[in-house]
Amino acid sequence: MPITYDEELRCFALHGDNVSYVLAVDGEPGGAVGARVRHRYWGPRIADSDLASLLYDLPTPGWSGTWSRPRAHTEEYVVHGGLRYDECALKVDFPDGVRELELEVTGHEVAGEELSVSLVDRRYDFHVVLHYRVRPAQDAVDRWVELANEGAGSVVLQRIASATWPLPQRPGPHLTSLVGRYAVETQLTRQRVNPGVHVLESRRGIPGHAAHPVVAVDYAGERGGAAGTGASEEHGDVWSVALAWSGSWKISTQLAGDGALHVTAGVNDFDLRHELAPGDRLTLPVTTGIFSPAGFGGVTRRWHSYERSYVDPRPGVDRPVSYNSWEATFYDVECGQQIELARRAADLGVELFIIDDGWFRTGPGDESSLGDWRPAPHRFPNGLRALADEVHLLGMRFGVWVEPEMLNRDSDIFRAHPDWVYRMPGRTSHEVRHQLVLDLGRAEVQDAVLAALDDLVGSGDVDYLKWDMNRPLGTVGTPVAGAVWWNHVVGVHRVIDRLRARHPDLWIETCASGGGRADLAILSRTELAWPSDNTDAADRVAIQRGYSFVHPASSMLCWVTDVPAHLTKRTAPLSFRFHVAMSGVLGLGGNLLSWGEEENEQARRYVAQYKKIRSTVQHGQLHRLEPSHGRDSSGICHISADGSEVAVFVFARAVAATAFEQYVRLRGLDPKASYVDTRTGRVMSGALLHSRGLVVELKGDLASALLTLRRL
Ligand code: DGJ
């Protein structure tokens, strides 16, 4: 049973294959503090016979009236009120000016893998339901909250996090996060958690480039005052929390002076004022907690399995090799040139051709027509269909770039509806890239955007949309101040959901100036994500390493582009550029019109090779390998779902003299099975490949290798 309830102890135990999560109710309904829901355990799987000990064998903290009470790490959902000073998840204003909550438990329901615990405020008709869902095979617990105002007046929500995640009190907590900035997204970073509150967040209306809405915690212990090493790639306990929200978010980690630790995850409360009118309900986004007893690699594989099972809209479906014309032509797009690019792409083995920004622009650059999703007549005199037909004749699918939340002032949509954009009376309307943002919280704006996209997808024979979002929200005055941060995101989700329902075969790529929006909520509505505008293969290694810490390669779109790289001006060999892109979903993004026969020949070979390994790469198990060729080297091993195929990538920025041939130690193989190295025909046991490894030769700068093995 994934969920057990001990009636006598009033205790719920949620069990995954390797994890247990325990909460209990204490106090009496109507008593001094009422019946409260308390957190008791989250960690390695325990027995139901342990529950009594979890409830009664509690350390007595040194008494002091200065503590926040109850302590945050002992509560399931910390609300603002009473003597609580720790980071809380929920804060509301009642109509009479009361700003504190006093919740008590009114009931619970267990249904299969789901548990809900209902609470109500002791004075106001304000209801909170805590929802839990266990995903046993992934050692995951989903949590979300439903709020309902059954009272007579409006309640204003000031803070609406989806969960408090109490973590164990062990020495030396460390936080792993995916932080960075534009073009340097998802840098895997691990740092000691210091006392106080550490906040990772976005206030931009999208998840943003500065941090990805996911964290992981492990403990390094204390050895004579110095931190130990903590969890490793393969060993040690790691807890991870992610939030499925495509807008402004906040994950705060609070470490108290005595080592108590809790993480609060949810919608960002910055500038939030969400009114719940009488009778209104609000379901907060899902936050998921995963526990791995098998180190960071274990966390990654659990996240991948979780996304494949519960997030990916097309699990197990191979992603096509694509071509995107952005870096080849930028805004300077016209039909004949795109047809020529499409012909070259098809000749190299490409399966999906995507025309990027520019096709609708009546002028040069980025100043016109954004929001009018019709081809510019001087670029496409016979409409987009002329290109779509040619692409289809060449045997490829046809994709189109759009940025549905945006418009230029110089556009028909703005001329017709100047009141549809966010603005604040008396304040400057700031533009970024000459763009304003549509108020997608409004139903009529959603309908108009949906109609335009529907028309485009239908009339242009479009199979794929690249949904971009290139500027943060700002000056977001709306009739309901502060609710915009919620409403915009819900509006985006709604439009995508309705569009997908009308066009079930349509594929969508999520992009926000690169990796600005790739959270679990948007990934459940899109087949692919563009992790970064930085296509420099040397930089991509780290960006992709971070992205794939949580997301499987099946959503990680990677292009091979020209050198010097557009953003960094760095040059890398074509082999390195291909290998880096082949470790995700391979795409081409260079100007194929200037590729010579030698490049074309190599590209054909790489594309063909990729098609052979793509199921393994996209849907297999990922294992990060130890650096083999110096500190700046890295390796990844993908193992197909049935364990029969193995693809190993090794990358090195600079190989030292006399250190060309090195052993690369593999991970995740069956030690007892035999594997044949398809290059040499040599047969080795999984045990040998783990303990000694495979000899790989790399030379020079930006060197790489792709090796494949087959289990016998
Ligand atoms: C930002 C994206 O990340 C790029 O790939 C490209 O689509 C441009 N926008 C187009 O404006």
Side-chain angles (χ1 to χ4, degrees):
M1 280 288 281
I3 301 183
T4 55
Y5 176 55
D6 185 318
E7 208 168 333
E8 201 182 317
L9 297 174
R10 295 197 288 169
C11 184
F12 304 91
L14 284 58
H15 297 297
D17 293 352
N18 304 280
V19 70
S20 295
Y21 187 101
V22 180
L23 51 138
V25 175
D26 73 3
E28 293 312 317
V33 288
R36 298 178 302 183
V37 56
R38 310 299 297 268
H39 179 79
R40 292 302 177 214
Y41 181 81
W42 183 22
R45 184 166 177 147
I46 51 168
D48 283 342
S49 53
D50 290 326
L51 297 184
S53 175
L54 286 179
L55 262 55
Y56 301 122
D57 303 340
L58 303 175
T60 320
W63 188 89
S64 162
T66 61
W67 287 118
S68 181
R69 279 185 279 174
R71 298 291 303 283
H73 65 287
T74 69
E75 293 205 276
E76 268 305 299
Y77 192 58
V78 180
V79 300
H80 175 68
L83 295 171
R84 294 184 186 87
Y85 309 106
D86 290 332
E87 276 292 284
C88 70
L90 183 67
K91 185 173 184 300
V92 310
D93 284 1
F94 289 108
D96 58 4
V98 167
R99 304 192 317 282
E100 294 193 350
L101 284 147
E102 284 185 10
L103 298 180
E104 72 172 326
V105 178
T106 55
H108 71 264
E109 206 184 316
V110 177
E113 298 183 346
E114 290 194 25
L115 160 71
S116 59
V117 181
S118 302
L119 305 120
V120 68
D121 188 86
R122 302 184 87 194
R123 175 155 166 228
Y124 302 92
D125 219 353
F126 182 76
H127 299 255
V128 174
V129 184
L130 307 184
H131 289 274
Y132 300 80
R133 182 171 49 214
V134 196
R135 303 298 196 186
Q138 289 79 22
D139 294 317
V141 178
D142 289 336
R143 294 185 57 186
W144 70 101
V145 169
E146 244 181 299
L147 306 174
N149 177 14
E150 306 289 342
S154 286
V155 174
V156 177
L157 308 173
Q158 304 271 4
R159 187 180 277 213
I160 45 170
S162 296
T164 300
W165 290 101
L167 284 146
Q169 198 162 348
R170 296 187 189 176
H174 279 64
L175 187 77
T176 296
S177 54
L178 303 174
V179 291
R181 60 179 192 273
Y182 170 72
V184 195
E185 295 92 337
T186 52
Q187 304 293 302
L188 200 49
T189 308
R190 183 170 171 270
Q191 66 195 89
R192 195 184 166 110
V193 181
N194 290 312
V197 183
H198 177 78
V199 175
L200 290 165
E201 65 170 356
S202 158
R203 300 178 174 195
R204 290 166 161 74
I206 50 169
H209 301 77
H212 215 64
V214 62
V215 294
V217 171
D218 71 301
Y219 298 81
E222 295 288 350
R223 293 206 201 105
T229 50
S232 66
E233 192 56 29
E234 289 173 284
H235 302 287
D237 293 345
V238 185
W239 288 256
S240 184
V241 167
L243 180 74
W245 183 244
S246 315
S248 297
W249 58 278
K250 181 160 139 183
I251 298 183
S252 28
T253 307
Q254 184 170 25
L255 178 67
D258 63 349
L261 185 65
H262 78 286
V263 168
T264 311
V267 171
N268 202 324
D269 56 342
F270 172 75
D271 192 39
L272 185 84
R273 273 193 95 253
H274 194 107
E275 206 175 295
L276 263 199
D280 275 3
R281 298 174 164 269
L282 196 69
T283 304
L284 305 182
V286 171
T287 167
T288 300
I290 282 189
F291 169 75
S292 158
F296 293 106
V299 157
T300 288
R301 287 182 289 282
R302 279 166 176 77
W303 276 122
H304 290 187
S305 166
Y306 179 88
E307 285 201 27
R308 285 176 184 137
S309 306
Y310 308 112
V311 178
D312 185 346
R314 292 186 208 273
V317 178
D318 283 353
R319 271 47 174 175
V321 177
S322 59
Y323 175 77
N324 180 301
S325 61
W326 174 241
E327 288 198 17
T329 54
F330 291 105
Y331 299 106
D332 198 8
V333 167
E334 59 83 25
C335 190
Q337 151 231 56
Q338 293 292 313
I339 287 179
E340 193 46 41
L341 282 168
R343 287 188 182 138
R344 307 254 177 142
D347 173 54
L348 302 181
V350 166
E351 300 156 312
L352 162 67
F353 180 89
I354 304 155
I355 177 170
D356 210 279
D357 197 346
W359 58 272
F360 50 90
R361 299 203 184 259
T362 49
D366 60 4
E367 293 181 31
S368 65
S369 313
L370 190 69
D372 299 339
W373 302 115
R374 293 182 305 271
H378 72 289
R379 300 177 190 275
F380 291 91
N382 301 316
L384 215 46
R385 177 146 256 156
L387 176 60
D389 285 350
E390 184 68 25
V391 167
H392 287 143
L393 270 176
L394 289 164
M396 298 183 289
R397 284 192 258 170
F398 181 52
V400 170
W401 180 96
V402 285
E403 198 178 7
E405 292 145 86
M406 303 289 161
L407 42 72
N408 287 131
R409 250 174 225 286
D410 179 8
S411 65
D412 291 345
I413 184 172
F414 184 73
R415 281 183 282 273
H417 303 283
D419 58 319
W420 278 4
V421 298
Y422 293 120
R423 59 210 154 109
M424 226 175 255
R427 295 289 156 207
T428 311
S429 229
H430 295 280
E431 292 180 17
V432 180
R433 282 181 32 142
H434 308 104
Q435 295 177 201
L436 296 164
V437 189
L438 282 168
D439 180 352
L440 265 194
R442 287 163 63 173
E444 71 271 34
V445 181
Q446 291 170 20
D447 290 345
V449 169
L450 177 68
L453 295 177
D454 193 20
D455 209 39
L456 172 69
V457 172
S459 68
D461 227 349
V462 171
D463 310 300
Y464 179 103
L465 288 180
K466 173 174 176 179
W467 184 305
D468 205 346
M469 203 290 190
N470 284 299
R471 62 153 289 181
L473 269 54
T475 324
V476 283
T478 57
V480 202
V484 56
W485 303 107
W486 175 272
N487 292 342
H488 185 91
V489 179
V490 171
V492 170
H493 288 169
R494 247 181 225 152
V495 173
I496 298 179
D497 292 346
R498 289 165 70 192
L499 187 66
R500 290 187 71 104
R502 285 188 197 181
H503 302 277
D505 295 331
L506 178 73
W507 284 39
I508 302 181
E509 170 188 338
T510 177
C511 169
S513 294
R517 188 160 61 187
D519 60 284
L520 296 179
I522 207 79
L523 287 172
S524 70
R525 299 168 160 92
T526 52
E527 282 75 7
L528 283 156
W530 181 229
S532 179
D533 271 359
N534 189 344
T535 56
D536 172 344
D539 285 356
R540 278 306 270 227
V541 172
I543 294 168
Q544 295 178 188
R545 196 174 177 81
Y547 183 92
S548 61
F549 183 76
V550 224
H551 311 302
S554 53
S555 71
M556 188 172 76
L557 184 55
C558 315
W559 305 342
V560 175
T561 53
D562 294 336
V563 285
H566 165 52
L567 289 178
T568 62
K569 310 299 171 212
R570 189 183 281 122
T571 294
L574 192 62
S575 53
F576 188 83
R577 284 178 273 151
F578 261 101
H579 286 154
V580 171
M582 288 163 80
S583 66
V585 177
L586 175 64
L588 306 184
N591 186 357
L592 301 184
L593 303 180
S594 63
W595 283 26
E597 201 30 51
E598 201 186 315
E599 273 165 315
N600 287 340
E601 194 37 51
Q602 283 192 57
R604 271 183 217 110
R605 267 192 290 112
Y606 283 122
V607 169
Q609 188 185 15
Y610 180 71
K611 287 178 181 168
K612 288 194 192 132
I613 60 163
R614 75 169 139 194
S615 290
T616 302
V617 170
Q618 296 179 7
H619 316 299
Q621 295 228 336
L622 180 143
H623 293 261
R624 287 178 289 269
L625 307 178
E626 277 173 1
S628 51
H629 292 70
R631 220 160 35 92
D632 269 345
S633 66
S634 60
I636 333 166
C637 170
H638 298 271
I639 304 171
S640 64
D642 65 359
S644 63
E645 305 282 339
V646 183
V648 181
F649 293 89
V650 189
F651 307 113
R653 268 185 111 96
V655 182
T658 70
F660 299 157
E661 286 186 280
Q662 299 292 333
Y663 288 119
V664 174
R665 292 177 58 205
L666 306 190
R667 285 175 170 150
L669 305 178
D670 176 354
K672 295 205 181 81
S674 298
Y675 296 84
V676 60
D677 177 342
T678 59
R679 283 175 312 171
T680 59
R682 184 100 61 227
V683 174
M684 287 161 278
S685 68
L688 182 70
L689 289 163
H690 281 178
S691 60
R692 186 213 58 183
L694 195 64
V695 183
V696 177
E697 187 188 74
L698 295 184
K699 280 187 189 150
D701 288 348
L702 299 176
S704 60
L706 163 58
L707 308 132
T708 53
L709 297 128
R710 226 182 17 257
R711 193 176 63 188
L712 293 177

